[in-house]
Amino acid sequence: MKMILDPGIETECWETQRESDDALYRSQIGYLVAHSEFYRDRLAEAGIRSAEEAGGLADITALPLTGKSELRDAMETGLGLGPHVAVPRQKIARIYSTSGTTGEPSYVPLTATDLKNWIRISMRSYAASGVEAGEAIVTTYGAGPFVAGATLEAFQGLGLTLVPLGPGNTERLMAAVQCLGPEAIALTPSYALHLAEWAGEHGVDLAASSVRRLMVAGEPGGGEAPLRAELEAKWGARVTEAMGIGDIAVSLFGECEAQDGMHFSGRGLVHMELIEPESGEPVALEDGASGELVLTHLKAEAAPMLRFRTRDHVVVRMGTCSCGRTAPRIRCVGRTDDMLIVRGVNVFPGAIREVVARFSPLVTGVIMVEPRARGVKQPAPLPVTVEGAGPGADQTLAAEIAQAIRDRLMVSAEVRLVPPHSLPRSTYKSRLVDFTNAGN
Ligand SMILES: [Zn+2]
């Protein structure tokens, strides 16, 4: 296994992390009470007027959660960047925008120290993937207004030869791969798939290219086994995944060469928790646990977040990894907003897609979940439309897919096969649920 960027931090016993974070957390709460109008008000509503009253990390679950919409409302009522910002504008070194999946863009301000911490976290995550100084990496992330731009500084910090290309120009990217011989590419999983299909159509043998590492991020999907297997075969490269949260830190989670989930890379800077998304109740951070990821800054200056709801639903692996890192590893299984509950069982459309994709090449892998009811709770069976491919896609196959969904996800599904290209095709980011046929 390769370099661990901060071995003293990344291989430290996880069980003692909470102890060392506790003092940082108490100090961060004191800072919020002193400098953040937004949190001063939110905590006061919960009956907490000082850091002492808030207590330590052991008491964090008693504090209010912060939703993106509450933050957005506050930003709209406040002047400038919003009442959650804890420093004067003159102390802010950089302001990123988040595009968001809904509504208006919001701003993420960072002091010089915040930015330095972001880059360090991102460097830990990307070092985990196994890239080494001297290797060349092509990046397709827009460096402009968006937080992903900070990863460019992380790649530079790791001593890589950086080839920034930006998104969208496939021919230029392929030319750079052929001409410059990079060892790695950073991109979204759907773009990696698109490039593989493009290469197939243009007679380009990607597996014979110099690229040995695909570093995917920016959307879920890179952790889904069938997609990963397809990308690895077509590119002849290892896929590792990273995930950041715009309001917390870029590349906060990064997968190592063991490919068993993304390590939490924010140790000493961010505290992670899980909650049950419906009730907001805490979920213990144990091996195999799943829930919505909730994050709290420990040392942020410009816009520290307290119990920020990411809306990302993750499954956690605990224990020391074969790479030596001791931080939890996660897989993101979907957006909390996409979660459906069928007879008491939580199910994510991405998980259904993953089960269906195992039937390739009898299916194209494109699916649409078409609930009968509005809202989260659904009657059984759950209607799932699947694109079949070829003559083998018949009623027997539909029954086998329904059985596989029941076996793996414990959800009863009604599978309807349709011809290839019947469903809207877009990226892995697109919604997999269509409520058009749902009653009220
Ligand atoms: Zn590892």
Side-chain angles (χ1 to χ4, degrees):
M1 287 289 172
K2 304 279 174 49
M3 177 188 76
I4 294 180
L5 190 73
D6 291 323
I9 295 168
E10 294 179 77
T11 64
E12 193 193 359
C13 173
W14 176 254
E15 280 64 39
T16 62
Q17 186 70 42
R18 182 181 278 247
E19 287 164 37
S20 55
D21 286 348
D22 192 66
L24 296 172
Y25 169 75
R26 287 171 187 266
S27 152
Q28 182 86 85
I29 296 280
Y31 179 87
L32 285 174
V33 171
H35 300 286
S36 165
E37 187 190 333
F38 174 75
Y39 279 116
R40 194 161 46 234
D41 292 350
R42 300 266 302 152
L43 289 169
E45 281 166 26
I48 295 162
R49 298 188 182 278
S50 68
E52 292 70 35
E53 286 175 10
L57 275 177
D59 311 303
I60 192 172
T61 57
L63 301 191
L65 294 156
T66 306
K68 186 77 184 165
S69 58
E70 290 148 345
L71 203 56
R72 200 181 291 276
D73 290 348
M75 282 183 205
E76 280 166 7
T77 56
L79 290 171
L81 287 163
H84 64 299
V85 175
V87 293
R89 220 278 295 129
Q90 292 73 13
K91 291 248 169 88
I92 296 173
R94 198 172 293 183
I95 300 174
Y96 282 118
S97 310
T98 59
S99 56
T101 43
T102 53
E104 299 294 303
S106 63
Y107 297 110
V108 182
L110 301 168
T111 66
T113 305
D114 291 336
L115 188 57
K116 186 174 75 68
N117 289 336
W118 270 38
I119 293 166
R120 195 71 194 171
I121 289 171
S122 186
M123 284 173 67
R124 286 181 197 162
S125 278
Y126 280 109
S129 75
V131 283
E132 288 178 297
E135 294 186 357
I137 182 166
V138 166
T139 71
T140 66
Y141 299 134
F146 303 120
V147 295
T151 59
L152 303 190
E153 282 150 282
F155 293 139
Q156 196 170 315
L158 291 173
L160 303 177
T161 303
L162 181 60
V163 187
L165 285 183
N169 192 328
T170 296
E171 285 175 26
R172 190 192 305 188
L173 188 143
M174 286 303 190
V177 167
Q178 283 166 337
C179 177
L180 305 174
E183 283 86 357
I185 301 193
L187 73 187
T188 63
S190 52
Y191 194 41
L193 188 60
H194 170 77
L195 291 172
E197 285 165 359
W198 185 95
E201 287 159 14
H202 290 77
V204 176
D205 183 7
L206 276 184
S209 79
S210 59
V211 177
R212 298 198 308 267
R213 307 176 197 285
L214 288 183
M215 288 144 71
V216 300
E219 62 188 25
E224 291 178 18
L227 176 66
R228 175 171 288 210
E230 184 178 357
L231 291 178
E232 293 199 329
K234 287 185 169 159
W235 281 84
R238 272 282 189 82
V239 172
T240 54
E241 196 182 13
M243 180 175 116
I245 288 90
D247 291 278
I248 303 294
V250 75
S251 338
L252 182 59
F253 296 86
E255 189 167 20
C256 70
E257 291 169 281
Q259 294 180 295
D260 190 26
M262 297 175 273
H263 282 287
F264 173 60
S265 301
R267 296 179 73 162
L269 296 165
V270 176
H271 174 71
M272 73 175 269
E273 302 172 65
L274 295 183
I275 60 166
E276 178 56 46
E278 289 285 283
S279 64
E281 289 299 310
V283 173
L285 211 54
E286 290 166 352
D287 195 45
S290 73
E292 182 182 338
L293 187 62
V294 168
L295 300 165
T296 297
H297 279 126
L298 296 173
K299 289 173 83 170
E301 293 178 344
M305 291 290 139
L306 173 61
R307 304 198 77 208
F308 180 79
R309 292 190 67 157
T310 64
R311 314 302 292 179
D312 288 310
H313 204 92
V314 302
V315 178
V316 176
R317 296 269 286 115
M318 302 298 288
T320 303
C321 179
S322 59
C323 73
R325 291 175 184 81
T326 51
R329 285 151 280 165
I330 63 162
R331 280 264 184 254
C332 182
V333 293
R335 298 285 295 165
T336 303
D337 313 280
D338 290 336
M339 187 176 84
L340 299 170
I341 302 177
V342 183
R343 283 198 185 145
V345 177
N346 296 357
V347 63
F348 288 87
I352 296 175
R353 173 175 60 191
E354 183 170 0
V355 172
V356 171
R358 290 173 193 272
F359 288 85
S360 172
L362 293 173
V363 298
T364 66
V366 180
I367 68 151
M368 187 64 75
V369 178
E370 295 172 311
R372 287 204 179 86
R374 300 251 160 229
V376 174
K377 293 197 168 62
Q378 295 295 326
L382 184 68
V384 178
T385 304
V386 172
E387 279 188 5
D394 55 15
Q395 277 312 309
T396 311
L397 177 67
E400 283 172 9
I401 293 173
Q403 186 63 44
I405 292 171
R406 181 190 290 274
D407 291 346
R408 296 186 65 92
L409 305 175
M410 288 167 295
V411 161
S412 155
E414 181 184 296
V415 173
R416 182 170 69 97
L417 286 167
V418 294
H421 299 276
S422 309
L423 293 171
R425 308 180 84 76
S426 46
T427 66
Y428 256 69
K429 221 172 188 169
S430 61
R431 286 187 74 91
L432 299 175
V433 183
D434 179 358
F435 281 97
T436 310
N437 296 325
N440 286 311

